[in-house]
Amino acid sequence: MADNGNTPNAANGQSIPRHVAIIADGNGRWAKQRGLPRTFGHREGVKALKRTVEAAPRLGIEWLTVFGFSTENWSRPAQEVAELMGLLKSYVQSDLARLEREGVRVR
């Protein structure tokens, strides 16, 4: 069997990618479409990211790369940038030790 970069998923026998990359984008638009503040969308995005990070190993994903903040984000309103940085700080403080124990590398 040729190596296609995928690994079998024990749950359903289907091949899944060994490496998945996520670009966290659109959370502000998601919130705006629902009449909510953009920051609410960012907070919901962090919750979704946590679920994804926890599920990845169970699904057999070996590497998960998440791009959470691009250089273009610095041009957002200062309050929104502060909220995004606060979310990152909160996530790191609450989850970093556990993530490190599980072999996750945060850069």
Side-chain angles (χ1 to χ4, degrees):
M1 182 159 116
D3 182 4
N4 61 3
N6 293 338
T7 186
N9 181 330
N12 61 18
Q14 295 181 0
S15 286
I16 61 165
R18 294 171 62 196
H19 184 186
V20 173
I22 298 170
I23 299 172
D25 187 34
N27 294 315
R29 286 186 299 277
W30 177 89
K32 187 176 179 182
Q33 290 169 349
R34 289 160 177 75
L36 301 166
R38 289 178 58 84
T39 55
F40 183 86
H42 299 314
R43 288 191 295 272
E44 290 301 305
V46 169
K47 290 178 187 176
L49 177 60
K50 283 184 176 188
R51 291 190 303 270
T52 302
V53 168
E54 291 171 4
R58 290 193 308 268
L59 295 171
I61 296 170
E62 295 178 46
W63 300 286
L64 180 65
T65 301
V66 179
F67 299 94
F69 194 85
S70 70
T71 56
E72 290 85 10
N73 290 142
W74 289 115
S75 64
R76 294 174 183 246
Q79 179 61 34
E80 189 172 355
V81 171
E83 171 76 15
L84 289 166
M85 291 296 112
L87 285 170
L88 175 60
K89 181 179 178 182
S90 174
Y91 182 65
V92 168
Q93 287 176 334
S94 67
D95 290 76
L96 187 60
R98 178 184 56 81
L99 292 170
E100 286 178 341
R101 281 193 309 274
E102 294 174 5
V104 174
R105 183 175 65 187
V106 177
R107 293 192 307 166

